[in-house]
Amino acid sequence: MKNKSTTKREIIKKFSVVLFVLLGVAFSTRAQVDTVAKQVGNKTSELTSKGKSAVVDEVYKNKVGPEGQSPVYIDHNSKYYYVDKKDKKVYVPKSSLKDKPKS
């Protein structure tokens, strides 16, 4: 029969393994929540900026950005830009704009 100190050590080892696994799951879940929250924040910010741009600036309806970004806006200084996924205005020269593909 095992003595009491050996049994206690085995229990402590098992408890430590379970605790380690639970902490790992908790931290990975926290990282996933942070990533999703950041994506939602970026999307909300992007949509807000696009909404403001659509009201304040003119939409260039027949053109898209150099890599297909849409919509393209014209500001009050006649500069062309689009809003990227992180809510930043990316100014582009008119020569780099492409015709919007027919859908």
Side-chain angles (χ1 to χ4, degrees), residues 30-57:
R30 170 69 183 193
Q32 289 172 347
V33 168
D34 288 345
T35 301
V36 170
K38 191 172 191 177
Q39 290 172 346
V40 168
N42 286 344
K43 190 64 173 177
T44 302
S45 180
E46 175 189 2
L47 292 174
T48 302
S49 184
K50 284 184 177 182
K52 177 186 172 223
S53 294
V55 171
V56 175
D57 296 329

Side-chain angles (χ1 to χ4, degrees), residues 64-78:
V64 295
E67 296 177 16
Q69 300 91 346
S70 179
V72 174
Y73 303 98
I74 307 169
D75 69 6
H76 62 279
N77 293 322
S78 297

